[in-house]
Amino acid sequence: MGNSVGIVRAERASFEEPLAFRSGAVLPRYDLVYETYGKLNSDRSNAILICHALSGHHHVAGVYADAPKSQGWWDNMVGPGKPIDTDRFFVIGMNNLGGCHGSTGPSSIDPETGRPYGSRFPVITVEDWVESQARLADHLGITRFAAVIGGSLGGMQALQWSLAYPDRVRHVLAIASAPRLTAQNIAFNDVARNAILTDPDFHGGDYYQHNVVPTRGLRLARMLGHITYLSDDAMADKFGRELKSGQYNYGYEVEFQIESYLRYQGDKFAGLFDANTYLLMTKALDYFDPANGGDLNSAFAKARADFLVISFTTDWRFSPQRSREIVRPLLHNGRRVSYAEIASAHGHDSFLMEHPHYFDVVRAYLDNVGREVSA
Amino acid sequence: MGNSVGIVRAERASFEEPLAFRSGAVLPRYDLVYETYGKLNSDRSNAILICHALSGHHHVAGVYADAPKSQGWWDNMVGPGKPIDTDRFFVIGMNNLGGCHGSTGPSSIDPETGRPYGSRFPVITVEDWVESQARLADHLGITRFAAVIGGSLGGMQALQWSLAYPDRVRHVLAIASAPRLTAQNIAFNDVARNAILTDPDFHGGDYYQHNVVPTRGLRLARMLGHITYLSDDAMADKFGRELKSGQYNYGYEVEFQIESYLRYQGDKFAGLFDANTYLLMTKALDYFDPANGGDLNSAFAKARADFLVISFTTDWRFSPQRSREIVRPLLHNGRRVSYAEIASAHGHDSFLMEHPHYFDVVRAYLDNVGREVSA
């Protein structure tokens, strides 16, 4: 399925012009960390931006020189000869503003106080991210992306590109995404947030100064998240009612393999990720609604791009129905839309996994995009 | 739809014979709190036992003299002329052992220590509950129930009656239930339990002595539970993306009505319910598996009762598929089974709500049961 992009290195761009957020808050300056794979062509027309989801970051493909197992989170998709082909495209991964992987976020030092931003870091929206991404594009000399691509929350950013900068993006690939959250989606986010917000170690978001981390809350949030990423069937197939020790122990330690899996995932994540970033990401999900509570047909009238929308049959976090809610207003507005509903057992997580039909769809679509741009 | 049973009073039965739990633990003595509605007939053949679900209790119908708004949790279903007709049947509601509404449970005084049981209260199973219910039946002089009825976890108890005491129950009504939990069901329970277990106020289950309550954890558990009780569609219809204040506030206070609803439900529950009981209830759900990991067809070979199995189309906690998993082994074993899949928008909670088709099915079934018993 193609090769790796090999050894990569993260880069950092500093932006000294203030960025006004949709909330009214202003960030006086910020850094964005990013990686690039492949070569920008002479007319700068072959750039693809990859937008990440809740727990993603800029390290999309390849490995770091000092860490041979540090494959990027979409290394199966991005590389020479892969569906997002770095022999053809100049691919950019970036860590979103508010993140915890190098871009300015709540754990960064606030120049005004000399301490981590913590609770002072403004609530950020998908719209704000796209603004910051546009500035990164300016910085890289990219006027127009061949494509902006994202899964889940990343798909929302890709959609927003087509609305905020209709002339700066030729193709949008929105994978396992939704035009806006449902009440149930918001409800899950709210429980996850409340786990963090009510953790006594949260300290109103300023836990950095207390040398603690709201591990309990972040762990619960991630455990809950994982349930919504997997399909009921995939969980049944993988874990079923299998016991850890082969018998009931009648206590509150791990009994079932599924508990072992969830707690492991929760612990791992809570040790790596910043709780404030988790909160920001879930809020960005909640707030995104290109129609502001109204009609999506009108909202998408601005779009000029062509679209590939992909959903997965067993995804119940953002079900195929949610992708069709993206497709309909695009068709209504005369956009060229391809829609693929991929039969996959792996629920929402499918968008991260290698799957021949899914990968063929992306490859075929981008082959055509590649023909539009010069070598 | 019939009248209320009127003013009711809880009663208490004390059992001084030890009860051995499936875990090996032994409870030396215990009380069970219960209510009865209607009259036991001369040959004691018209008794119906109502088994409650996770947060239920013995107060099924009627009101207390001093509290005119204290309707029982199934008052719409149980009463004179109602589907479970107290003009015809002698109906018993009871609070399960381990509960927090009067029956012996973790918050009761442990006679050995003079302090609340707390962490010393044994993990209890559906099988143990049925044993204690059988003793209550003995106490009331009921050799054989006309029917044992339950929704959700209550349905599991009703099923277990048909396996533990095949000759003591003529009819089993299992509503919105499942023969055993899936990995996803267990996963949700595990997140809820971990919210309580990791709450610093939990103190390993012995919070009573510390004069605190693990409110944060119990609140999260209930918020999460509520998401799984409602259907995606019902939530969308009831709350959608409606905002509390009509605008985004870009903070972590309540933004959406669904958040307001969930937090209210969480707070209310956390102020009333005992966290240790919540843990026990979820464990009983996890452990129940009449087939012990094996084949349900063999497991149900013991059953002698007739069955009514009811599911609701939008219930995704225990979907219609789970009810069909109950029906199949019963048919395999030649049981008489009626199965109704009710079109209802209200998800798992449907089993508690008045719905003409649902109520007609229960009424019609119990009319026939009523004809079998003398007046």
Side-chain angles (χ1 to χ4, degrees), chain A residues 29 56 195 203 209 233 274 289:
Chain A
R29 67 162 310 285
H203 295 287
Q209 281 102 288
D233 284 350
D274 183 60
D289 177 7

Side-chain angles (χ1 to χ4, degrees), chain A residues 190 198 248 255 263 287, chain B residues 190 216 248 255 263 286-287:
Chain A
D190 193 49
T198 63
Y248 288 169
E255 290 273 26
R263 295 182 193 193
Y287 287 135
Chain B
D190 193 49
R216 284 175 291 243
Y248 288 169
E255 290 273 26
R263 294 181 193 194
D286 286 7
Y287 286 135

Side-chain angles (χ1 to χ4, degrees), chain B residues 50-335:
Chain B
I50 309 284
C51 302
H52 69 76
L54 207 150
S55 61
H57 44 66
H58 54 285
H59 183 42
V60 174
V63 293
Y64 295 134
D66 54 352
K69 287 187 173 173
S70 60
Q71 268 87 8
W73 57 267
W74 225 5
D75 195 69
N76 53 10
M77 180 68 94
V78 176
K82 292 184 180 175
I84 302 176
D85 187 350
T86 54
D87 286 340
R88 200 160 204 177
F89 294 106
F90 176 68
V91 179
I92 304 161
M94 54 106 63
N95 184 215
N96 278 0
L97 207 51
C100 54
H101 289 89
S103 292
T104 300
S107 57
S108 307
I109 297 299
D110 177 354
E112 273 190 46
T113 65
R115 292 189 303 203
Y117 276 100
S119 60
R120 290 171 52 95
F121 198 90
V123 167
I124 196 162
T125 64
V126 169
E127 291 86 341
D128 301 327
W129 280 331
V130 169
E131 284 306 307
S132 69
Q133 289 160 358
R135 293 201 187 173
L136 180 65
D138 296 342
H139 171 81
L140 296 170
I142 295 155
T143 313
R144 192 184 194 194
F145 283 111
V148 178
I149 303 178
S152 192
L153 176 56
M156 290 177 168
Q157 296 160 56
L159 293 176
Q160 176 60 20
W161 262 96
S162 75
L163 303 178
Y165 293 104
D167 301 324
R168 296 192 69 175
V169 53
R170 295 172 68 92
H171 296 272
V172 164
L173 279 70
I175 306 169
S177 194
R180 52 188 172 196
L181 296 196
T182 61
Q184 191 191 66
N185 295 146
I186 296 170
F188 277 120
N189 282 344
D190 193 49
V191 174
R193 275 194 299 270
N194 269 273
I196 295 169
L197 295 169
T198 63
D199 185 325
D201 287 337
F202 181 63
H203 295 287
D206 295 315
Y207 44 87
Y208 314 101
Q209 281 102 289
H210 294 79
N211 294 311
V212 290
V213 171
T215 310
R216 284 175 291 243
L218 190 53
R219 177 175 178 270
L220 288 170
R222 184 60 165 185
M223 289 172 73
L224 178 54
H226 257 282
I227 302 179
T228 70
Y229 304 152
L230 301 179
S231 72
D232 191 10
D233 284 349
M235 258 194 197
D237 287 349
K238 194 167 174 187
F239 303 104
R241 295 181 51 84
E242 206 184 322
L243 293 164
K244 183 133 194 264
S245 72
Q247 57 173 35
Y248 288 169
N249 296 305
Y250 301 104
Y252 296 115
E253 297 304 306
V254 165
E255 290 273 26
F256 293 93
Q257 290 291 5
I258 178 63
E259 295 175 300
S260 178
Y261 170 80
L262 275 187
R263 294 181 193 194
Y264 171 78
Q265 294 291 343
D267 287 337
K268 194 173 76 166
F269 188 74
L272 291 171
F273 206 80
D274 183 61
N276 278 320
T277 292
Y278 199 89
L279 293 175
L280 290 175
M281 294 282 168
T282 62
K283 277 308 231 186
L285 276 163
D286 286 7
Y287 286 135
F288 187 62
D289 177 7
N292 283 315
D295 174 33
L296 287 166
N297 284 348
S298 319
F300 278 101
K302 281 173 280 188
R304 292 289 165 269
D306 296 345
F307 290 80
L308 172 60
V309 178
I310 297 177
S311 69
F312 300 94
T313 48
T314 56
D315 183 352
W316 63 278
R317 187 180 175 93
F318 292 148
S319 70
Q321 187 192 326
R322 316 306 316 285
S323 278
R324 290 193 289 266
E325 290 168 19
I326 298 171
V327 170
R328 270 194 298 270
L330 293 172
L331 290 175
H332 174 86
N333 286 292
R335 294 295 90 215

Side-chain angles (χ1 to χ4, degrees), chain B residues 343-363:
Chain B
S344 162
H346 299 287
H348 190 60
D349 265 357
S350 300
F351 87 86
L352 295 166
M353 297 166 79
E354 197 158 330
H355 180 294
H357 182 192
Y358 165 39
F359 275 39
D360 283 350
V361 167
V362 174
R363 181 190 303 276

Side-chain angles (χ1 to χ4, degrees), chain A residues 84-285:
Chain A
I84 302 177
D85 187 351
T86 53
D87 285 340
R88 201 161 205 176
F89 295 105
F90 176 68
V91 179
I92 304 162
M94 53 106 63
N95 184 215
N96 278 0
L97 207 51
C100 54
H101 289 87
S103 292
T104 300
S107 57
S108 307
I109 298 299
D110 178 354
E112 274 191 45
T113 66
R115 290 189 304 200
Y117 276 101
S119 61
R120 290 170 51 94
F121 198 90
V123 167
I124 195 163
T125 64
V126 169
E127 291 85 343
D128 301 327
W129 280 331
V130 168
E131 284 308 306
S132 69
Q133 289 160 0
R135 294 202 186 171
L136 180 64
D138 295 343
H139 170 82
L140 297 171
I142 295 157
T143 313
R144 192 183 194 195
F145 282 111
V148 178
I149 303 178
S152 191
L153 175 56
M156 291 177 168
Q157 296 161 55
L159 293 176
Q160 176 60 19
W161 262 95
S162 75
L163 303 178
Y165 293 104
D167 301 324
R168 296 192 69 175
V169 53
R170 295 172 68 94
H171 296 272
V172 164
L173 279 70
I175 306 170
S177 194
R180 50 189 173 196
L181 296 196
T182 62
Q184 191 191 66
N185 294 146
I186 295 169
F188 276 120
N189 282 345
D190 193 49
V191 175
R193 275 194 298 270
N194 269 273
I196 295 169
L197 295 168
T198 63
D199 185 325
D201 287 337
F202 181 63
H203 295 287
D206 295 315
Y207 44 87
Y208 314 101
Q209 281 102 288
H210 294 79
N211 294 312
V212 289
V213 172
T215 311
R216 284 174 292 242
L218 190 52
R219 178 175 177 269
L220 288 170
R222 183 62 165 184
M223 289 172 72
L224 178 54
H226 257 282
I227 302 178
T228 69
Y229 304 151
L230 301 179
S231 72
D232 191 9
D233 284 350
M235 255 194 200
D237 287 349
K238 194 167 172 188
F239 303 105
R241 295 182 50 84
E242 206 184 321
L243 294 164
K244 184 133 192 267
S245 71
Q247 57 174 32
Y248 288 169
N249 295 306
Y250 301 104
Y252 296 116
E253 297 303 308
V254 166
E255 290 273 26
F256 293 92
Q257 290 292 5
I258 178 65
E259 297 175 297
S260 177
Y261 170 81
L262 276 187
R263 295 182 193 193
Y264 171 78
Q265 294 291 342
D267 288 337
K268 194 173 74 167
F269 188 75
L272 292 171
F273 206 80
D274 183 60
N276 279 319
T277 292
Y278 199 89
L279 293 174
L280 290 176
M281 293 281 166
T282 63
K283 277 307 231 187
L285 275 162

